[in-house]
Amino acid sequence: MTGSPDMSVVIGSLTLRNPVLTASGTFASGREYADFVDLSRLGAVVTKGVSLKPWAGNASPRIAETACGMLNSIGLQNPGLAVFTQKDLGWLETQDVPVIVNVSGHTVDEYAEICRRLDSDSRVDAFEINISCPNVDAGGMVFGTSCPDAASVVSACRAATSKTLIVKLSPNVTDNTEIARAFVDAGADAVSLINTLLGMAIDIEKRRPKLARVVGGLSGPAIRPVALRMVWQVANAVDVPVIGMGGITNSRDAVEFMLAGATAVAVGTANFVDPTTTMRVVDGLTEYARSEGLVRVEELIGALET
Amino acid sequence: MTGSPDMSVVIGSLTLRNPVLTASGTFASGREYADFVDLSRLGAVVTKGVSLKPWAGNASPRIAETACGMLNSIGLQNPGLAVFTQKDLGWLETQDVPVIVNVSGHTVDEYAEICRRLDSDSRVDAFEINISCPNVDAGGMVFGTSCPDAASVVSACRAATSKTLIVKLSPNVTDNTEIARAFVDAGADAVSLINTLLGMAIDIEKRRPKLARVVGGLSGPAIRPVALRMVWQVANAVDVPVIGMGGITNSRDAVEFMLAGATAVAVGTANFVDPTTTMRVVDGLTEYARSEGLVRVEELIGALET
Amino acid sequence: MTGCCGAGEKGHAGERPSLERVDVLSNERIAEGVGLMILHARHTASLVEPGQFVHLRVDKGRDFILRRPFSVHRARGEQIEILYQVLGQGTLAMAELSCSDDIDLIGPLGHGWDVPADVNHALLVSGGLGAAPLGGLAEKLAREGVAVTCAMGAPTQERLVGLDVFEAVARRVVIATDDGSEGELGFVTGPVERLLAEGSFDIVYACGPEVMQRAVAAMCAEVGVRCQVSLERLMACGIGACLSCVVTTKDGLKRACVEGPVFDAEEVCWDVSEIPPKH
Amino acid sequence: MTGCCGAGEKGHAGERPSLERVDVLSNERIAEGVGLMILHARHTASLVEPGQFVHLRVDKGRDFILRRPFSVHRARGEQIEILYQVLGQGTLAMAELSCSDDIDLIGPLGHGWDVPADVNHALLVSGGLGAAPLGGLAEKLAREGVAVTCAMGAPTQERLVGLDVFEAVARRVVIATDDGSEGELGFVTGPVERLLAEGSFDIVYACGPEVMQRAVAAMCAEVGVRCQVSLERLMACGIGACLSCVVTTKDGLKRACVEGPVFDAEEVCWDVSEIPPKH
Ligand SMILES: Cc1cc2nc3c(=O)[nH]c(=O)nc-3n(C[C@H](O)[C@H](O)[C@H](O)COP(=O)(O)OP(=O)(O)OC[C@H]3O[C@@H](n4cnc5c(N)ncnc54)[C@H](O)[C@@H]3O)c2cc1C
Ligand SMILES: Cc1cc2nc3c(=O)[nH]c(=O)nc-3n(C[C@H](O)[C@H](O)[C@H](O)COP(=O)(O)OP(=O)(O)OC[C@H]3O[C@@H](n4cnc5c(N)ncnc54)[C@H](O)[C@@H]3O)c2cc1C
Ligand SMILES: Cc1cc2nc3c(=O)[nH]c(=O)nc-3n(C[C@H](O)[C@H](O)[C@H](O)COP(=O)(O)O)c2cc1C
Ligand SMILES: Cc1cc2nc3c(=O)[nH]c(=O)nc-3n(C[C@H](O)[C@H](O)[C@H](O)COP(=O)(O)O)c2cc1C
Ligand code: FES
Ligand code: FES
C-alpha cells in the first residue's frame, strides 16, 4: 500500500512487524486471547514467566484494585519449563508471531539453564530475563535492585544463548540508569521496563492486607507517569533498544513511550480491561504514524523535544 | 463527651489534638484554606517549603494531570525565610493550630540555618526537613536518595534546634528503611513519607513534555498503594513515629495508613480536589474510632494483622 | 469495529467467548441492595449454559479499572439477566445504569453446572445472591424432567431473591432467614441437613457464601451425595490468562474463571482460605 | 454538611469564595464544540464580578482528579452561565451533564476586570471562547453608561459565541473569522488595529488565545491606551495555595487564580512562555 508507514522495529537480531508486544504475565502465552486478538498482527508475544521447575505462586487473594491500577501477587505461578515447552511453545508454533520467553529463576544457574535449554529451540526468538519481580522471595527483585548480582544473571544468560537477550528492569530502585548500563555491559541486547511498583492495600474492616502476601506489584494507568520517566532516563543512558511498558491503554500512550525513547511497547494490565487493546494500539499507532507523515515508525523513537 | 475516643497523638515533644495534618506545599500556610477549613480542628498545619532566600521555582507549565494523579514541578517557589516569618507565621499565630515548618535548602548549612533562626520562635512547633523533593536540582532529592549526605543534613538540623525534628523521605529509592534508620540515628524525632514519585507526561501533538521542567512529582490517589507499602516498611523498621501521606482522600484511606503504622497522616493533593478534605478526614476518623469502640485513636497505629 | 470478534477463529464458531457491546434493557432494584439487570446480549444469550458467567465492564473513564464477573441468572432469547448485590464502586456504578445505556461484556465464560445423565432429583441450595447462578439451572433441570427441590437462605425476607424463579419450577422450596422474617429462623444448612436425611437426592448444587458451601459439601460427603459448588474469586482477566482466581483443588491449582466457577465439591481443598474479603 | 462553608469566618461574610453544591439548570450545545451551562449557584451568582471564575468539579469517581476553572459568562439572579469549549476529558464530562445533575464548584474566584472611574468608551476584544469572561463585563459597562465596542474573532462562523450578548449592549460589533465565513477574513487583530487608530477608546479589555492578547497589548501600548487581559494557566487549587498558575510579571511571579486571571497588560512579561499546550 503506498503511503503506509513502515511499522517494523528492530530489537537485537529480531525485526518485529510492529512495536506492539504483550507484557509478560498478562497474556499467558496468547491462547486465551486468541478469541480477541489476531496474534499475527502483534509485534511479538512475551510469555508468562517460566521457571525450570513448576512454581505454585502465592496464596490468594492475589489481586486488589487500587485507584486507576491494580496490585498483583501472583508470584510467577507456572508449570515449569517442560510443560511450557510442550504446551505453550507447541501452540505458539502454530501462530505466525515472534515469541519472547520471559525467564524466572531462584538462582543464577536456573536463569542460565532455561536460556541454554531453549537456545536451540527455533520456536523461541528472544528471552526477557525477569530479575525484577516484586512477588517472589528469592530471585526476582532481590536481583533486580542490586547491580553485581543482577549483572551476573545477565552474564550467565548471555553465555548460555546467542538469541536476543532482553533484561527487564525493576522500578523499585534509586537509579535505573546505572543498573541498565551494568546489564548492557553484561551482554543485554535490549532492556525492558517497568515491572510493577511495590505496593500495598488494606481492608480496614478486617484490619488485614488485601493481598495474602501483604505486598504486591502495582500496574495499570496509575504508574504510567513513573514508567514513562524511567523509560526516558534509561533510553538516554544506554545505546540498546528499550521496550517500554507501564499503564499503556491506547495508542496515544504508546506514542508517549516511543517519543520518550522506547523502540517497542508492551501492553499489560489493559488486556484485562479490554482484551482487544493490543489491536487498538497497533491500529492507532499506524494511524498516528500515517497522519504525522512518517516513512518509518522508528522516526518516533526518542523524538521528544526537550 | 463520654464515649468519644481520645483522638490525640504524640510526635516528638508535640501532642496533636488529632492525627490529621496538611501535606506541605498543598495548603500554603493555611490562609487560602481558611474559608473551607476550621484550622483549629487540624492536628497541625505543615507549611509550604521555606528556604533561606527567596526561590523562584520552575518555569511553567508546572502541573499536568495523569490517571488518578497529578505531576507537579513547582520547584519550591517561596519568598524566603524573612517574608515567611513575618507574613505566614504572623498569620498562623492568630490561629489555634500547631505549626510544622517544612524546610528546604541547597546546602547542609542552609537547612540548619533555618532551624537555628526559628529555634527560639514560639510560633513554630516542629520542623519537617524536606530532603526529598524531586523538583530542585541541588538539594532536594539528591540528598534524599543518598544516606551519608542526607544524614548530615539531619545531624546539622538536630544540632541547630531542640524542637521536634521530622525528616521527610523520598519514595524514589531502593530501600527506605535503611535511609529512615540513618535519619533516626542522626537525630530525627519522626519521619514523614512519601514525597512525590518522579514522573513524566508527554504532549504527543507537540512532541514536548507537558511540564516545562520535563519531569515532576506524581501525587494523588495513584500513588497511594506505593505510599502505604513504604509507610508499612518504615514503621516496622524504626522506633520513632511515622507520618504517612500519599493519595489520602478520605478517612478510610487515613485508617489504612494508621493500620500500616502511621501515627499521623497528611492530606495533600486531595485539598485541591475538595478543599474541605481534612475536615472530612477528621470527622470520618473520629467516627471510625468510635464505631470500632476505641478509647484512643492510637490503638490503630500499626494494628494491621499480617 | 472491535465488536464481536474472534469467534470462529478456532473453527468452533459460536462456542467461544466474545467481547460484546450490549444494551441495558432494564435495570431495577428488586430487593434490599439487589438489582436485576436485563441485557440485550445476542451472542452470550444464545450460548450461555447455567452456571457460566460474564465479565462486565462498567468502568469506562472511572477511577477503578477492572471488569466485574457476574453469573448469568437466566438467558431468554437474546437477553440475559444479571442479579447483583450492590457492594462497592463497581456495583454502585451498575446500579446507576439505565435503559439505553450501552456497556460491554466478555461472555459466556467459565465452566457451568454439570448435569449427569442419571440425575432424577436435585437439591439446589442458595445463600443470598447464590441464587443468581442457580436460576437457569433450576429451569434447565425442570425442562429435562429432573425433580427440583430448593433450599434458600438469606439474611432477611427483604434480601431474599430468586424465589419466583424457583417456585415456578421446583417441587418444593424451603426457606431460612437469619432473622426468621421468612421461612424458618437460622441458616439454610438446617433445612439442608433435614432434606438430605430424607435420602431422595442424587445431586446437590450449592452457591452462596463459601462457609455455607463448605458446610453443604461436608454434609453431602457424609451422606454420599454428589455436590457441585460455584466458587467466587477475585478475577482480573476472566479468561484464564492472569492466574488471579486460582482455587486449590486436590489436582493442584485451578482457575475459577476457566476450570470453574463450578467445581466438584470433592475436588476442592476447603481448608485453604482463598475467599476475598467481603464486607 | 460541608455545603457552603467558611463564609463569614473572616468577618467578610459573603465576600469570600465558598464551596457550593449547585444544580445544573440547563446545558446545551450552542455552537460547534461549545456548550452553555446554566447553574443554580446562589452564593456565587450574588457575588461574582465580571472576569471572575469558578472552579468546577466534574470528576467524581472519574480517572482524572482536578477541578476545571471556568469564567462566569454572565450572572443573573441566582444563576450563573458558563460558556465552555469541549477539549478534553473534563469538558467532555461537562457536556454529558444534564438538567438535575448536581456538581460542586468553588467560587467566586480571582480578580476580575477593573473599570476605572474615568472610562467613557471601552473596546472589548475576544478571540473564540475569550468571549466568555467578557459577556458580563459588556453588560456591566453598558449599565454604567460606558460606550462599548466589540471586536470578535473566531475560527469560523459556526464557532462564534457570545454575539447575542454583545449585540444587545454594544454600540458596534466587528467580527473577523479565520475563514471569512462571518465578518471579515482574518484575525481579529486586523479590525482592532483600525479601531484603535480611530482614537476613541480609553480602555481595551482582551481575552482569547495568548498570542492574540499579546498582539492586542502591543497595539495598545503603541497608541497609549490602557489594556487589561485575562490569562489562562493550568490550575490545581484555584485559591492561591499551590503555585501552579503563576504569571511572570514585572513585579515578579503572580498567581493567576488570585492576583489574576485579569492583569494589566503592561504588567505581564509577554516573552516568557507559560501557555499550557492546547490542541
Ligand atoms: C464467577 C463469579 C460470578 C459472580 N456472580 C455474581 C452474581 O451473579 N451476583 C452478584 O451479586 N455477585 C456475583 N459475583 C461477585 C461480584 O463479582 C462482586 O460482588 C463484584 O465484583 C463486586 O464489585 P464492586 O465493585 O461492587 O465491589 P468492590 O468495591 O470491588 O469490592 C467489594 C467487596 O467485594 C469483594 N469482591 C470484589 N470482586 C469480587 C469478585 N470478583 N468475587 C468475589 N468477591 C469480590 C471485594 O473483595 C470487596 O470486599 C460473582 C463473582 C464471580 C467470581
Ligand atoms: C481562569 C480561567 C478561566 C477559564 N475560563 C474558560 C471559559 O470560560 N470557557 C472555556 O471553555 N475555557 C475556560 N478556561 C479553560 C478551561 O479551564 C480548560 O479548557 C479546561 O480546563 C480543559 O479541561 P479538559 O479536561 O476538557 O481538557 P484537558 O484534557 O485537561 O486538556 C485539554 C487541553 O486544554 C489545556 N488545559 C487544561 N486545563 C487548562 C486550564 N486550566 N487553562 C488552560 N488550558 C488548560 C490542556 O493543557 C490540554 O492541552 C479557563 C481557564 C482559566 C485558567
Ligand atoms: C497479573 C500480572 C502478572 C505479571 N507477571 C509477570 C511475569 O510473569 N513476568 C514479568 O516479567 N512481569 C510480569 N508482570 C509485569 C508486567 O509484565 C508489566 O511489566 C507491568 O504490569 C507493567 O505494565 P502494565 O501497567 O501495562 O500492566 C505481571 C503483571 C501483572 C499485572
Ligand atoms: C503542588 C505540590 C507542592 C508540593 N510542595 C512540597 C513542598 O514544598 N515540600 C514538601 O516537602 N513536599 C511538597 N509536596 C509533596 C506533598 O507534601 C506530599 O508529600 C505528596 O504530594 C504526596 O501526598 P498527596 O498524594 O496526598 O499529595 C508537594 C506536592 C504538591 C502536589
Ligand atoms: S481471572 Fe485471570 S485467570 Fe482467572
Ligand atoms: S491554582 Fe493553585 S495557586 Fe493558583
Side-chain angles (χ1 to χ4, degrees):
Chain A
M1 211 198 312
T2 65
S4 75
D6 177 354
M7 295 300 289
S8 68
V9 295
V10 176
I11 310 271
S13 55
L14 269 185
T15 299
L16 306 177
R17 63 169 73 85
N18 66 52
V20 184
L21 319 182
T22 59
S24 176
T26 65
F27 202 73
S29 285
R31 197 198 308 244
E32 289 78 4
Y33 280 93
D35 292 315
F36 310 97
V37 169
D38 177 353
L39 273 84
S40 73
R41 295 187 59 224
L42 286 174
V45 165
V46 181
T47 71
K48 168 88 189 138
V50 63
S51 53
L52 214 47
K53 299 274 150 56
W55 284 7
N58 295 316
S60 293
R62 291 175 164 188
I63 59 168
E65 210 171 9
T66 66
C68 291
M70 67 177 281
L71 291 166
N72 90 79
S73 58
I74 308 296
L76 297 174
Q77 177 190 331
N78 81 92
L81 186 60
V83 175
F84 173 80
T85 310
Q86 201 216 316
K87 290 219 182 137
D88 296 70
L89 290 182
W91 183 80
L92 278 164
E93 195 178 8
T94 68
Q95 306 294 312
D96 172 26
V97 66
V99 173
I100 301 177
V101 174
N102 182 273
V103 179
S104 310
H106 286 307
T107 64
V108 174
D109 282 350
E110 260 184 82
Y111 282 103
E113 185 60 23
I114 294 171
C115 295
R116 193 169 302 117
R117 295 212 195 158
L118 293 177
D119 184 46
S120 56
D121 194 322
S122 63
R123 299 169 300 182
V124 175
D125 296 279
F127 297 105
E128 180 180 53
I129 309 298
N130 177 17
I131 30 184
S132 51
C133 175
N135 289 320
V136 289
D137 286 318
M141 209 176 72
V142 186
F143 287 124
T145 57
S146 137
C147 269
D149 284 355
S152 67
V153 174
V154 179
S155 312
C157 293
R158 177 73 295 167
T161 182
S162 56
K163 290 193 200 284
T164 297
L165 197 64
I166 303 160
V167 183
K168 187 157 176 181
L169 305 183
S170 166
N172 302 295
V173 298
T174 307
D175 183 2
N176 240 321
T177 58
E178 191 194 330
I179 297 179
R181 272 190 293 254
F183 290 165
V184 172
D185 290 344
D189 297 313
V191 293
S192 60
L193 67 162
I194 62 173
N195 210 315
T196 52
L197 281 163
L198 198 58
M200 183 172 172
I202 292 174
D203 182 314
I204 67 167
E205 269 78 28
K206 306 213 167 179
R207 298 192 182 183
R208 295 183 64 84
K210 286 192 177 169
L211 298 176
R213 206 187 123 82
V214 184
V215 296
L218 182 64
S219 63
I223 69 169
R224 193 161 57 231
V226 175
L228 191 67
R229 181 264 299 181
M230 289 189 173
V231 164
W232 179 71
Q233 288 177 321
V234 169
N236 282 313
V238 297
D239 286 332
V240 301
V242 171
I243 301 170
M245 73 197 84
I248 295 177
T249 299
N250 56 44
S251 60
R252 299 178 61 87
D253 300 338
V255 172
E256 284 194 60
F257 277 82
M258 293 193 71
L259 290 173
T263 296
V265 295
V267 174
T269 302
N271 291 311
F272 306 155
V273 180
D274 175 358
T276 67
T277 305
T278 47
M279 297 294 96
R280 283 194 293 106
V281 174
V282 169
D283 292 340
L285 193 57
T286 310
E287 186 43 42
Y288 177 86
R290 198 193 313 270
S291 73
E292 294 274 304
L294 306 186
V295 177
R296 286 179 304 276
V297 75
E298 288 186 332
E299 294 165 44
L300 286 179
I301 304 169
L304 183 73
E305 294 164 27
T306 53
Chain B
M1 215 198 311
T2 64
S4 74
D6 176 355
M7 295 299 289
S8 69
V9 294
V10 176
I11 309 270
S13 54
L14 268 184
T15 299
L16 306 178
R17 64 168 73 86
N18 67 51
V20 184
L21 319 181
T22 59
S24 176
T26 65
F27 202 74
S29 286
R31 196 199 309 247
E32 289 78 4
Y33 279 94
D35 292 315
F36 309 97
V37 169
D38 177 353
L39 273 83
S40 72
R41 295 187 59 223
L42 287 173
V45 165
V46 181
T47 70
K48 169 88 189 138
V50 62
S51 53
L52 213 48
K53 298 274 147 58
W55 283 8
N58 295 316
S60 293
R62 290 176 164 188
I63 60 169
E65 209 170 8
T66 66
C68 291
M70 67 177 282
L71 291 165
N72 91 78
S73 59
I74 308 296
L76 296 173
Q77 176 190 330
N78 81 89
L81 186 60
V83 174
F84 173 80
T85 310
Q86 199 214 317
K87 289 218 181 138
D88 296 69
L89 290 181
W91 183 79
L92 278 164
E93 195 178 7
T94 67
Q95 307 294 312
D96 173 26
V97 66
V99 173
I100 301 177
V101 174
N102 182 274
V103 179
S104 310
H106 286 308
T107 64
V108 174
D109 283 350
E110 259 183 82
Y111 282 103
E113 184 61 23
I114 295 171
C115 295
R116 193 169 301 116
R117 294 211 196 157
L118 293 177
D119 184 47
S120 55
D121 195 322
S122 63
R123 299 169 299 184
V124 175
D125 296 279
F127 297 104
E128 181 181 52
I129 309 298
N130 177 17
I131 32 186
S132 51
C133 175
N135 289 320
V136 288
D137 286 319
M141 209 175 74
V142 186
F143 286 125
T145 58
S146 140
C147 269
D149 284 356
S152 66
V153 174
V154 179
S155 312
C157 292
R158 177 72 296 165
T161 182
S162 56
K163 290 192 200 285
T164 296
L165 198 64
I166 303 160
V167 182
K168 186 157 178 181
L169 305 182
S170 166
N172 302 296
V173 296
T174 308
D175 184 1
N176 240 321
T177 59
E178 191 194 330
I179 297 178
R181 272 190 293 256
F183 290 165
V184 173
D185 290 345
D189 297 314
V191 293
S192 60
L193 66 161
I194 62 175
N195 210 314
T196 52
L197 280 162
L198 198 58
M200 183 172 172
I202 292 174
D203 182 314
I204 68 168
E205 269 78 28
K206 305 213 167 175
R207 298 192 181 184
R208 296 183 64 85
K210 286 193 178 168
L211 297 176
R213 205 186 126 82
V214 183
V215 296
L218 182 64
S219 63
I223 69 169
R224 193 162 56 231
V226 175
L228 191 68
R229 182 263 299 181
M230 289 190 173
V231 164
W232 178 72
Q233 288 178 320
V234 169
N236 282 312
V238 297
D239 286 331
V240 301
V242 171
I243 301 170
M245 73 197 86
I248 295 177
T249 299
N250 55 44
S251 59
R252 299 179 62 86
D253 300 338
V255 172
E256 284 195 61
F257 277 82
M258 293 193 71
L259 291 172
T263 296
V265 295
V267 174
T269 302
N271 291 312
F272 305 155
V273 179
D274 175 358
T276 67
T277 305
T278 47
M279 297 294 97
R280 282 194 295 105
V281 174
V282 170
D283 291 340
L285 193 57
T286 311
E287 187 43 41
Y288 177 87
R290 198 194 314 270
S291 71
E292 294 274 305
L294 307 185
V295 178
R296 286 179 304 276
V297 75
E298 288 186 332
E299 294 165 43
L300 286 179
I301 304 170
L304 184 72
E305 293 164 29
T306 54
Chain C
M1 221 198 58
T2 50
C4 167
C5 67
E9 300 234 335
K10 301 189 159 177
H12 303 257
E15 291 177 20
R16 305 289 316 164
S18 81
L19 179 65
E20 211 181 353
R21 284 210 79 75
V22 301
D23 284 324
V24 176
L25 298 175
S26 74
N27 188 20
E28 281 169 22
R29 183 181 177 288
I30 60 150
E32 197 189 319
V34 179
L36 173 67
M37 191 184 285
I38 304 183
L39 299 171
H40 186 205
R42 208 180 304 247
H43 173 85
T44 304
S46 67
L47 296 174
V48 68
E49 294 289 335
Q52 287 191 297
F53 71 98
V54 294
H55 215 21
L56 267 189
R57 181 165 189 192
V58 287
D59 66 354
K60 282 230 175 107
R62 300 240 175 199
D63 57 4
F64 61 97
I65 60 170
L66 296 176
R67 287 175 182 268
R68 298 292 190 265
F70 289 91
S71 303
V72 173
H73 181 46
R74 297 194 296 178
R76 327 216 241 178
E78 300 191 336
Q79 305 179 5
I80 59 170
E81 294 178 9
I82 308 281
L83 257 183
Y84 63 97
Q85 179 161 21
V86 177
L87 270 178
Q89 49 190 359
T91 44
L92 274 168
M94 282 171 68
E96 281 169 15
L97 291 173
S98 52
C99 178
S100 85
D101 280 333
D102 70 337
I103 55 178
D104 74 49
L105 60 77
I106 306 175
L109 294 172
H111 182 101
W113 307 105
D114 283 323
V115 182
D118 61 347
V119 167
N120 291 309
H121 191 180
L123 174 62
L124 275 54
V125 185
S126 73
L129 266 284
L134 292 169
L137 175 66
E139 292 181 341
K140 176 181 171 175
L141 290 169
R143 263 196 320 271
E144 296 184 357
V146 178
V148 173
T149 294
C150 294
M152 303 179 70
T156 64
Q157 185 257 320
E158 289 79 26
R159 293 170 68 184
L160 187 72
V161 291
L163 183 58
D164 47 343
V165 178
F166 292 147
E167 276 183 337
V169 297
R171 176 187 290 199
R172 195 169 150 201
V173 178
V174 188
I175 296 168
T177 52
D178 300 356
D179 66 351
S181 52
E182 175 93 27
E184 64 180 82
L185 180 98
F187 295 136
V188 72
T189 40
V192 169
E193 191 159 25
R194 290 198 310 273
L195 287 164
L196 283 176
E198 293 174 6
S200 67
F201 301 104
D202 36 34
I203 195 160
V204 173
Y205 297 102
C207 187
E210 201 149 312
V211 285
M212 176 277 251
Q213 296 186 329
R214 183 182 180 160
V216 171
M219 291 187 254
C220 291
E222 190 93 354
V223 297
V225 174
R226 283 168 291 184
C227 176
Q228 292 177 28
V229 293
S230 176
L231 299 178
E232 286 192 7
R233 289 294 178 275
L234 295 176
M235 293 182 174
C237 73
I239 61 173
C242 73
L243 307 183
S244 57
C245 64
V246 291
V247 171
T248 307
T249 73
K250 299 195 170 126
D251 302 324
L253 296 173
K254 292 193 174 173
R255 296 163 300 181
C257 68
V258 174
E259 282 91 34
V262 172
F263 289 92
D264 213 88
E266 301 253 293
E267 251 191 304
V268 178
C269 297
W270 292 102
D271 43 337
V272 182
S273 160
E274 283 156 347
I275 315 167
K278 265 208 195 175
H279 320 316
Chain D
M1 219 198 60
T2 50
C4 168
C5 67
E9 301 234 334
K10 300 188 162 178
H12 304 259
E15 290 179 19
R16 306 289 316 165
S18 81
L19 179 65
E20 209 179 357
R21 283 211 80 74
V22 300
D23 284 325
V24 176
L25 298 176
S26 74
N27 188 21
E28 280 167 24
R29 184 182 176 290
I30 60 151
E32 198 188 319
V34 179
L36 172 66
M37 190 184 285
I38 304 184
L39 299 171
H40 186 204
R42 208 180 304 247
H43 173 85
T44 304
S46 67
L47 297 175
V48 67
E49 293 288 335
Q52 286 191 298
F53 71 98
V54 293
H55 215 21
L56 267 190
R57 181 164 188 193
V58 288
D59 66 355
K60 281 230 175 108
R62 301 239 176 200
D63 58 4
F64 62 96
I65 59 170
L66 296 176
R67 288 176 181 267
R68 298 292 190 265
F70 289 92
S71 303
V72 172
H73 181 46
R74 296 194 296 179
R76 326 215 241 181
E78 299 192 336
Q79 307 179 4
I80 59 171
E81 296 178 9
I82 307 281
L83 257 183
Y84 63 97
Q85 179 158 23
V86 178
L87 270 179
Q89 47 191 1
T91 45
L92 274 169
M94 283 170 68
E96 281 170 14
L97 291 173
S98 53
C99 181
S100 85
D101 281 333
D102 71 335
I103 54 178
D104 74 48
L105 59 76
I106 306 175
L109 295 171
H111 182 102
W113 307 104
D114 283 322
V115 183
D118 60 346
V119 166
N120 291 309
H121 191 181
L123 174 61
L124 274 55
V125 184
S126 73
L129 265 285
L134 292 169
L137 175 67
E139 292 181 341
K140 175 181 171 174
L141 290 169
R143 263 198 318 272
E144 295 183 357
V146 178
V148 173
T149 294
C150 295
M152 303 179 71
T156 63
Q157 185 256 319
E158 289 79 26
R159 293 171 66 185
L160 188 71
V161 290
L163 183 58
D164 46 342
V165 178
F166 292 146
E167 277 184 334
V169 297
R171 175 188 290 199
R172 195 169 150 200
V173 178
V174 188
I175 296 167
T177 52
D178 299 356
D179 66 351
S181 52
E182 174 93 29
E184 64 180 82
L185 179 97
F187 295 137
V188 71
T189 38
V192 169
E193 190 158 25
R194 290 197 311 272
L195 286 164
L196 282 176
E198 293 174 6
S200 68
F201 301 103
D202 36 35
I203 195 159
V204 172
Y205 298 101
C207 187
E210 200 149 313
V211 284
M212 175 277 250
Q213 296 186 329
R214 183 183 179 160
V216 172
M219 291 187 255
C220 289
E222 190 93 353
V223 297
V225 174
R226 284 169 289 184
C227 175
Q228 292 176 27
V229 294
S230 175
L231 299 179
E232 286 191 9
R233 289 294 179 274
L234 294 176
M235 292 182 175
C237 73
I239 60 173
C242 73
L243 307 183
S244 58
C245 64
V246 291
V247 171
T248 307
T249 72
K250 298 194 170 125
D251 303 323
L253 296 173
K254 291 193 174 173
R255 296 164 300 182
C257 68
V258 174
E259 282 92 34
V262 172
F263 289 92
D264 213 273
E266 301 252 294
E267 253 190 302
V268 178
C269 297
W270 292 101
D271 43 338
V272 182
S273 160
E274 283 155 349
I275 314 167
K278 265 207 196 176
H279 319 316

